Amino acid sequence: MTENKTALITGGGRGIGRGICLKLASLGYSVAVNYCQDHKSAENTVTEIKSMSGTAISVRADVSNSVEVSKMVEHINTVFGRIDVLVNNAGINIDKPFLEMTEDDWDRVVDTNLKGAFLVSREVSVLIKAKKLHGNIINIGSTTAITGRKNGVNYCSSKAGLLVMTRCLAKELAPDIRVNSVIPGFTRTEETRERFKLDTREEYEISKRDIPLKRLGDPKDIASLVAFIISEEGAYINGQKFIVDGGENMI
Ligand code: NDP
């Protein structure tokens, strides 16, 4: 039963985060759509949820800022009275060759992708425990946390940290809160559309090279797995990582 349950999705205004917001709203969750800079996209997601007769608010916070995170969680608690599900989805890339990567490039990516998940998880976990709820945290990872990739030492390291954070928290927060990682493969979002120039390159050409299922991922592919893990049917899943990449990385 999702009646009265609330989900917070960081970076929920667009891309994979938006897909997760829409899915959880369709299951009856009240949704808090976090954003940092892109207020318009977050409001569009809220409007979309309301048009499905769902309940949603947008809430601004830079996840790497503990004061803003604290205020965000307090605000959601004031509006909805609880948070049952947290999806740590907010993430950025600043790709550069290792020898050119600056300290600032490292700090911005690690602060958003890793410290951000730490700060939001801590605030939300305190609330879940205080309310004596059974909650879920989902961390959105990357296969490059396992494989590594060129020009992404900051990003891959942050996602590797997130993977082990999942396991630490799964041990520490159980049995009240289950913690799992969902790891997308190459998924079509605004970010990947621009970064990989998907509109000018043939997607099929890219995908048929590496992906056995011969297509890029869709945010819906990620959202449906998140929904399963947090459901009653996923009640015995804890501390795991699940890769959704059409078979590209069988790791
Ligand atoms: P997008 O760039 O489309 O979205 C990123 C989201 O993160 C935006 O909503 C953005 O909000 C938010 N965000 C960035 N910085 C902050 C911050 N400091 N505080 C709060 N929110 C922030 O990315 P995708 O949808 O493609 O990716 C989502 C997640 O999935 C990321 O963690 C990414 O690493 C991971 N992933 C994506 C893959 C893909 O192929 N798309 C593959 C593997 C992993 P705003 O604009 O308001 O700042």
Side-chain angles (χ1 to χ4, degrees), residues 150-197:
K150 281 162 83 175
N151 301 336
V153 66
N154 50 0
Y155 179 82
C156 301
S157 303
S158 71
K159 293 293 188 179
L162 194 56
L163 201 53
V164 80
M165 187 193 293
T166 301
R167 294 175 181 158
C168 294
L169 299 192
K171 290 182 177 179
E172 222 173 300
L173 297 174
D176 304 332
I177 304 173
R178 294 188 289 116
V179 188
N180 290 285
S181 281
V182 170
I183 302 185
F186 194 168
T187 305
R188 196 179 215 290
T189 65
E190 280 300 298
E191 197 274 331
T192 52
R193 190 175 66 79
E194 281 167 28
R195 196 148 65 99
F196 298 98
K197 306 203 181 343

Side-chain angles (χ1 to χ4, degrees), residues 58-200:
S58 67
V59 53
R60 206 204 84 79
D62 176 344
V63 293
S64 67
N65 180 315
S66 59
V67 176
E68 293 185 16
V69 166
S70 199
K71 283 187 183 152
M72 167 175 73
V73 171
E74 201 180 303
H75 177 65
I76 299 166
N77 187 34
T78 304
V79 177
F80 294 126
R82 59 196 287 166
I83 298 177
D84 302 270
V85 173
L86 164 65
V87 182
N88 285 310
N89 165 77
I92 58 168
N93 292 273
I94 304 174
D95 285 7
K96 276 187 196 163
F98 174 58
L99 297 180
E100 293 167 26
M101 194 168 283
T102 65
E103 187 178 351
D104 187 55
D105 297 331
W106 173 273
D107 285 347
R108 282 172 56 203
V109 170
V110 174
D111 281 0
T112 304
N113 300 2
L114 183 58
K115 182 181 161 192
F118 160 69
L119 292 174
V120 186
S121 299
R122 196 181 53 178
E123 287 292 326
V124 170
S125 300
V126 168
L127 182 65
I128 290 174
K129 284 184 177 278
K131 300 259 173 187
K132 299 195 186 323
L133 300 171
H134 287 285
N136 273 277
I137 297 175
I138 302 284
N139 293 321
I140 303 297
S142 167
T143 52
T144 62
I146 301 160
T147 62
R149 75 167 151 73
K150 281 162 83 175
N151 301 336
V153 66
N154 50 0
Y155 179 82
C156 301
S157 303
S158 71
K159 293 293 188 179
L162 194 56
L163 201 53
V164 80
M165 187 193 293
T166 301
R167 294 175 181 158
C168 294
L169 299 192
K171 290 182 177 179
E172 222 173 300
L173 297 174
D176 304 332
I177 304 173
R178 294 188 289 116
V179 188
N180 290 285
S181 281
V182 170
I183 302 185
F186 194 168
T187 305
R188 196 179 215 290
T189 65
E190 280 300 298
E191 197 274 331
T192 52
R193 190 175 66 79
E194 281 167 28
R195 196 148 65 99
F196 298 98
K197 306 203 181 343
L198 292 181
D199 290 342
T200 50

